[in-house]
Amino acid sequence: MAKTPAEMVPAGDREVRVSSPDRVIYEATDRTPALTKLDVCRYVADVGEAMMRTIGDRPTAMERWPDGWREGMNLAVGPKDKEADGFYQKRLPRGAPEWVETVEIAFPSGRTAHELCPSEPAALVWAAQMGTLTFHPWPVRRPDVDHPDELRIDLDPQPGTGFADAQRVAGVARELLEELGLRGYPKTSGNRGVHVYVRIEPRWSFEELRHAAIGFGRELERRDDGVTTAWWKEERGERIFVDFNQNNRDRTIAGAWSLRARPGAPVSTPMTWEQLAEVTDPAEHNLTTVRDHLAAGDPWADMDEQAYSLEPLLELWETLPGGELNFPPDYPKMPGEPRRVQPSRRRR
């Protein structure tokens, strides 16, 4: 069988070459047709300007699925997971065009890497041509990659809960943010969760950002018994987990307008609070529908107009009881951190 010729996809001031354009990346579902590599690259080009407003000039890991995504495929959980179908690319691969820019970042281990730093929409389309479905930007911008400018509130449904629960808790989070004089910008996660972003002044460390997220989560717990900040899964119950550790160095969540590796090519879709309240099925926002959503107006277009202080959230961290919480297992032991032993094992 003859190989399908490459296609050129316009993106900003460039055209990006897309090889194997007819490769099926997403199989057909009840609501979406089969979607090809060319479909993915054209989608990224079409939302490129909006995506650049949210991840432009940010260190960005690429979640790559070179052969497309199918039910049952696995994402690598570490460098030794050689059998996985998808993987995170944190270092720019060799052979990237010279106009694809990078920025040097430091991991918690102290090691460094030159990571993709999108400076134009064409860089996003190039990454899509390389099999990237989900972009994972850091909450920092160059030239200052050690001081976050973004607080990310990750509302993560636990077993027994779903999107409707996260949607309800997001409404409580909105009220709390407004009481504190802060403005939040919500989006669907592309799965069952909800993410809320707050633009902040870039003058606090990652550790302080994480403490701000813990303080916010604890106040949410006080207001809604369907919320938890318990790090250990056995203690979370059927509640929405505020994943405070997503605000650590080298911890990221799906970027705005990113596709997700799930049936029907769902998108992590920025919304107004009013739009979020009307969603009944987040999967309705997918590669085939999100262009129309964006055409009605970018809900996050004005996010950079005002940056807020973290002080109100750090005050919650200082005043609410609970103290330090556990860091992820790949982190070095941190000051004041509790023992990294599951509570049930600790009791035994």
Side-chain angles (χ1 to χ4, degrees):
M1 181 180 293
K3 187 176 180 180
T4 305
E7 296 256 6
M8 302 302 291
V9 173
D13 297 328
R14 302 184 192 275
E15 287 193 332
V16 180
R17 183 178 183 274
V18 176
S19 61
S20 304
D22 59 349
R23 177 181 297 157
V24 174
I25 304 300
Y26 291 98
E27 294 181 322
T29 67
D30 291 343
R31 60 160 55 99
T32 56
L35 297 166
T36 65
K37 187 177 179 183
L38 183 60
D39 291 325
V40 168
C41 290
R42 284 175 172 167
Y43 164 78
V44 172
D46 289 344
V47 301
E49 291 293 341
M51 191 177 286
M52 282 298 299
R53 285 195 287 273
T54 68
I55 75 172
D57 282 338
R58 298 186 184 277
T60 302
M62 299 180 287
E63 183 185 319
R64 293 178 58 191
W65 298 85
D67 296 321
W69 181 85
R70 304 286 185 276
E71 287 272 20
M73 282 187 167
N74 295 311
L75 182 65
V77 296
K80 295 181 180 180
D81 193 354
K82 303 297 184 184
E83 302 302 317
D85 307 281
F87 58 94
Y88 292 107
Q89 181 99 45
K90 294 187 177 183
R91 290 174 170 82
L92 197 74
R94 294 178 181 178
E98 61 180 14
W99 46 266
V100 175
E101 299 186 20
T102 64
V103 64
E104 186 177 39
I105 45 87
F107 301 121
S109 64
R111 298 175 63 190
T112 61
H114 288 273
E115 197 160 79
L116 171 67
C117 188
S119 59
E120 57 179 297
L124 302 172
V125 179
W126 168 82
Q129 134 70 23
M130 296 294 290
T132 301
L133 296 182
T134 309
F135 294 87
H136 293 266
W138 285 41
V140 299
R141 286 182 171 131
R142 61 180 180 186
D144 186 354
V145 294
D146 292 317
H147 293 93
D149 71 342
E150 208 163 65
L151 170 71
R152 296 169 177 178
I153 301 164
D154 183 2
L155 303 177
D156 185 10
Q158 299 304 290
T161 66
F163 176 77
D165 300 288
Q167 189 180 41
R168 174 183 54 77
V169 172
V172 181
R174 178 190 184 183
E175 293 174 0
L176 176 54
L177 287 171
E178 290 177 349
E179 287 178 23
L180 297 171
L182 308 174
R183 181 176 177 184
Y185 290 79
K187 67 180 178 70
T188 63
S189 69
N191 191 2
R192 300 186 306 143
V194 173
H195 302 152
V196 181
Y197 285 31
V198 180
R199 179 68 71 242
I200 62 169
E201 300 164 355
R203 55 189 181 94
W204 288 275
S205 67
F206 280 97
E207 291 75 21
E208 289 169 316
L209 183 72
R210 176 180 174 275
H211 284 162
I214 293 173
F216 187 83
R218 284 176 172 156
E219 180 59 25
L220 278 185
E221 284 179 301
R222 281 165 34 93
R223 299 180 178 217
D224 190 310
D225 59 10
V227 176
T228 182
T229 57
W231 174 244
W232 299 105
K233 291 183 179 180
E234 65 184 36
E235 295 185 325
R236 293 177 190 170
E238 295 185 2
R239 293 179 286 184
I240 298 299
F241 173 49
V242 180
D243 193 350
F244 52 88
N245 272 332
Q246 294 290 40
N247 290 280
N248 276 321
R249 179 184 293 273
D250 193 35
R251 283 297 184 276
T252 58
I253 56 182
W257 309 109
S258 280
L259 293 161
R260 303 305 308 273
R262 296 192 58 78
V267 171
S268 185
T269 309
M271 297 184 174
T272 64
W273 288 108
E274 292 72 23
Q275 288 170 335
L276 179 66
E278 294 176 357
V279 176
T280 56
D281 181 357
E284 293 176 356
H285 295 272
N286 56 60
L287 185 152
T288 67
T289 64
V290 163
R291 289 180 181 87
D292 291 338
H293 173 76
L294 178 57
D298 183 350
W300 286 16
D302 63 349
M303 186 187 288
D304 284 330
E305 290 183 5
Q306 183 173 0
Y308 297 92
S309 171
L310 267 187
E311 294 297 344
L313 301 180
L314 291 173
E315 185 175 347
L316 292 175
W317 155 256
E318 294 287 348
T319 57
L320 293 176
E324 187 58 278
L325 295 175
N326 287 106
F327 282 75
D330 61 320
Y331 259 64
K333 183 70 174 178
M334 302 298 284
E337 182 184 359
R339 293 173 59 200
R340 293 184 184 179
V341 180
Q342 286 179 237
S344 57
R345 293 184 178 181
R346 201 178 308 157
R347 288 191 292 270
R348 290 200 296 270

